[in-house]
Amino acid sequence: ARCVREMHAPHFHHELVKRGVRIAMEKDGSDNTESGVSALDAIAALFSFLVKNAIVSEHQVHKGVKRLHKVLSDIQLDVPAAPSMLEEFEALAKEGGCLSSTS
């Protein structure tokens, strides 16, 4: 959280969301072991924490998810399950309070 705050770039937090979720999808898509917690669960929990503590805004999370939808076909080349994984992240983010249910 401190590192995100120290960036002093709240207008750029959507890129953090986009990159974080993409990396989580790539990790979960290539991970053949059962570690118990998926990377998507972890990243959703992180963004929930950041939004609840007013470090990242809900608007920036929404904007990051919107940008992921725009590049989903490219991500799907590397992670065939990307569309369902993005849906899963959105559900987790809504449940965690970092993405409104109207988003």
Side-chain angles (χ1 to χ4, degrees), residues 12-50:
F12 194 63
H13 289 165
H14 65 276
E15 189 65 25
L16 179 68
V17 173
K18 180 181 162 226
R19 289 182 189 199
V21 174
R22 182 176 185 153
I23 290 168
M25 288 192 295
E26 289 171 354
K27 171 136 179 46
D28 285 352
S30 67
D31 199 1
N32 297 328
T33 61
E34 284 296 319
S35 60
V37 177
S38 77
L40 279 177
D41 289 333
I43 202 77
L46 173 65
F47 288 120
S48 292
F49 174 84
L50 294 173

Side-chain angles (χ1 to χ4, degrees), residues 52-85:
K52 286 178 184 169
N53 288 283
I55 297 166
V56 172
S57 72
E58 189 178 319
H59 171 74
Q60 289 294 317
V61 175
H62 173 72
K63 189 173 179 180
V65 168
K66 198 170 161 183
R67 291 190 64 212
L68 277 165
H69 278 284
K70 288 182 180 179
V71 295
L72 196 55
S73 60
D74 288 339
I75 298 170
Q76 198 171 5
L77 295 173
D78 296 323
V79 185
S84 63
M85 293 173 114

Side-chain angles (χ1 to χ4, degrees), residues 1-16:
R2 186 180 74 220
C3 293
V4 175
R5 210 177 332 199
E6 288 174 355
M7 284 181 4
H8 298 293
H11 59 281
F12 194 63
H13 289 165
H14 65 276
E15 189 65 25
L16 179 68

Side-chain angles (χ1 to χ4, degrees), residues 84-96:
S84 63
M85 293 173 114
L86 184 54
E87 282 181 28
E88 180 185 348
F89 172 77
E90 288 180 85
L92 291 167
K94 288 174 183 175
E95 187 179 298

